[in-house]
Amino acid sequence: MGKLIRPSIFLLLLLFILPVYYSAAVTDDLSSEEIYRERMALYKKTEAVTQIPWCYLAAADSYERGLRQALKDIPEEEGFIAIYYSPEKWAGEQNPNHEDTNAISIALFGGSGLDGNGDGLADRNNDEDVLYTFAEHLEKFGQNKEDIKIGLWDYYQKDKAVEIISGHAKVYETMDTLDLRDRSFPMPLHFNYSYRSTWGDARGWGGRRVHEGTDIFADYGTPVRATNFGIVESKGWNKYGGWRIGIRDTNNVYHYYAHLSRFEEGIERGTVVKPGTVIGYVGSSGYGKPGTQGKFAPHLHYGMYKDAGLIEWSFDPYPHLRAWERIERQKKK
């Protein structure tokens, strides 16, 4: 009985002390700082009601925002929250009204939608209702990290989704902010290096394939830096990439750093990094069994891959590298 009463009491209390969002807001005219502030208010309010840590709500939200950007069959969000419920899932598969906002009839038809702001409606176009509905699903499984992971798996039915969202949550928890826009060029600008666009070029070792990245040539031992905020998702040997590190950012993009001579001490799977963090050093490892070196000139292979839920594809990092290099040079002036 207490579990049924508790959310209602908290909701009624919070309605008077925190801002209320009656519908999905249009964010086009807001600055990034204003958007982050409004999102954080929503995460914190939902955390207070459900006890699901805000970092997991932010992580799932950013994961789905990345999916919306990558997929064509999910509409772009109109409000602050990107978590998506189809009309059928929200209102119930057998509900004759897929735009139903009556929480009672939605429940009768087995829909997911809940009233998160106490206005008597369960509206899938309302940021608070969507976030509360998602958090309540997680809360059914518990509030610690392992319980939340079980809830995430039950919701997404994919191990990779749970891994990515858990990584996002660790980044948000560590940095304690939503504003993770800073970027760095992968090498210190005062070192000697050169690069050009090589994405899509033919490669022959290990079979015919295309080059899925940009090669940045530099001397052995040149520091290699993280370009984004993110979490180290992979570290070790790859027969193509040699000693390599993979970092996932909160936009679901996987950043691939290959042909390293060695790793920086303290960089392990699960390490949270920020732009400029040294993760390793330029080498010529790869194209063979573990330890193979020297089959080509020393360089960093830098690749970017976008997760789209069921698949992940590479895209050209060259324009991003040029932009990050230019911005960093301007900061130093």
Side-chain angles (χ1 to χ4, degrees), residues 45-329:
K45 180 175 181 179
T46 305
E47 177 187 54
V49 175
T50 65
Q51 304 305 302
I52 298 298
W54 74 267
C55 60
Y56 280 94
L57 302 176
D61 191 29
S62 62
Y63 172 71
E64 294 215 21
R65 185 166 294 105
L67 292 184
R68 287 190 189 234
Q69 293 168 357
L71 301 173
K72 301 298 183 184
D73 57 345
I74 303 178
E76 184 177 350
E77 74 269 23
E78 296 180 357
F80 295 108
I81 302 302
I83 295 172
Y84 176 74
Y85 285 89
S86 68
E88 295 80 9
K89 185 173 183 178
W90 184 268
E93 291 284 349
Q94 303 303 316
N95 192 331
N97 178 14
H98 284 165
E99 299 302 323
D100 196 355
T101 59
N102 186 305
I104 296 175
S105 58
I106 288 174
L108 288 174
F109 284 104
S112 301
L114 299 172
D115 175 13
N117 61 359
D119 66 355
L121 301 176
D123 184 358
R124 73 182 187 92
N125 296 310
N126 180 286
D127 286 326
E128 286 184 282
D129 291 354
V130 169
L131 199 58
Y132 176 73
T133 297
F134 180 80
E136 277 294 297
H137 175 85
L138 298 183
E139 195 199 18
K140 290 188 299 185
F141 297 87
Q143 297 159 342
N144 64 46
K145 292 181 179 180
E146 292 306 311
D147 291 336
I148 290 173
K149 287 181 180 179
I150 295 172
L152 289 170
W153 192 92
D154 185 78
Y155 187 86
Y156 291 102
Q157 300 283 301
K158 287 186 298 185
D159 292 340
K160 191 63 177 179
V162 176
E163 179 186 13
I164 292 176
I165 293 171
S166 299
H168 290 357
K170 188 173 181 179
V171 174
Y172 284 127
E173 182 181 32
T174 302
M175 297 302 168
D176 195 31
T177 182
L178 299 178
D179 190 352
L180 305 177
R181 290 174 293 170
D182 284 349
R183 300 290 186 267
S184 287
F185 190 71
M187 293 178 187
L189 299 186
H190 63 276
F191 278 73
N192 293 320
Y193 63 84
S194 64
Y195 67 106
R196 62 181 180 83
S197 179
T198 55
W199 189 81
D201 288 356
R203 288 292 184 270
W205 191 89
R208 296 185 63 180
R209 55 196 175 90
V210 297
H211 192 233
E212 295 183 345
T214 292
D215 290 336
I216 307 176
F217 289 88
D219 296 330
Y220 273 106
T222 298
V224 174
R225 309 184 302 174
T227 57
N228 290 248
F229 291 95
I231 188 167
V232 176
E233 192 172 285
S234 61
K235 174 192 173 187
W237 183 265
N238 177 298
K239 67 178 181 179
Y240 296 105
W243 299 118
R244 61 84 167 90
I245 284 179
I247 296 173
R248 180 81 59 179
D249 71 21
T250 53
N251 294 314
N252 302 351
V253 175
Y254 179 82
H255 302 259
Y256 177 67
Y257 305 78
H259 306 315
L260 303 176
S261 59
R262 62 185 177 92
F263 304 116
E264 175 72 344
E265 290 185 11
I267 299 296
E268 304 292 344
R269 288 194 65 207
T271 300
V272 172
V273 298
K274 60 184 179 180
T277 300
V278 175
I279 59 174
Y281 299 86
V282 169
S284 61
S285 61
Y287 283 19
K289 63 183 181 180
T292 303
Q293 302 270 354
K295 288 194 172 184
F296 41 76
H299 67 278
L300 170 70
H301 170 99
Y302 180 78
M304 297 175 72
Y305 295 79
K306 182 70 173 178
D307 180 82
L310 296 177
I311 61 172
E312 190 168 74
W313 68 81
S314 68
F315 59 95
D316 188 358
Y318 181 78
H320 299 275
L321 290 168
R322 282 299 188 199
W324 300 337
E325 181 184 35
R326 182 176 61 255
I327 291 171
E328 191 166 344
R329 287 195 187 282

